[in-house]
Amino acid sequence: MQVRDPRGDKRLPTANAQTGTSSMGGLVDLAGVDLGNGTAALAVISVTRTAASAGPYAASTQILAADVSRLAATIVNNDTTKNLYIGLNGATATTSSTIVVPPKGAYNVPADSVAGQINGIQAAGASGTVSSLATTA
């Protein structure tokens, strides 16, 4: 399915979102939305992206608070030698958590957990920070 960009004669596949800057200086995401009847429309979504960095985390610590308006989140382990362990939806993070972000690695939070509280703990001896990038509507 193709979507016509009303700003020109470009055609955008519905699976690909285009990102630009509005005249107000804020971020705007453009995405094709399937209308369910074989047609599509271009949706304009105004979003805010917030970056933060803290740590190291020797105990389970809140990385991102619960936020129902959050659309996406990425967690980055900035440590060069130690793993970061993640707890989703308010779960306490432990060094036996199943979500492991390796040194200098990133984790994209899945859609079913993106609005919940995200906690993290780094392996003993970690000295690097943890960064987060959250996108909210």
Side-chain angles (χ1 to χ4, degrees):
M1 179 176 357
Q2 295 289 317
V3 179
R4 181 173 298 277
D5 184 344
R7 299 169 299 164
D9 196 23
K10 298 182 209 170
R11 292 189 179 264
L12 304 174
T14 56
N16 293 341
Q18 302 293 317
T19 303
T21 304
S22 74
S23 60
M24 302 295 275
L27 293 170
V28 175
D29 279 352
L30 303 176
V33 177
D34 185 354
L35 298 178
N37 60 0
T39 63
L42 188 64
V44 178
I45 306 167
S46 178
V47 297
T48 300
R49 293 190 175 103
T50 306
S53 186
Y57 298 137
S60 183
T61 305
Q62 177 179 289
I63 297 173
L64 288 170
D67 185 348
V68 295
S69 67
R70 191 164 44 234
L71 304 172
T74 300
I75 309 298
V76 178
N77 180 7
N78 296 312
D79 197 277
T80 58
T81 61
K82 303 295 182 178
N83 288 333
L84 168 68
Y85 301 88
I86 301 288
L88 298 176
N89 298 316
T92 299
T94 68
T95 55
S96 60
S97 294
T98 57
I99 301 170
V100 181
V101 184
K104 293 296 187 183
Y107 176 70
N108 291 316
V109 178
D112 62 349
S113 301
V114 76
Q117 179 177 323
I118 301 167
N119 297 318
I121 185 172
Q122 289 171 296
S127 60
T129 60
V130 174
S131 298
S132 63
L133 178 64
T135 303
T136 54

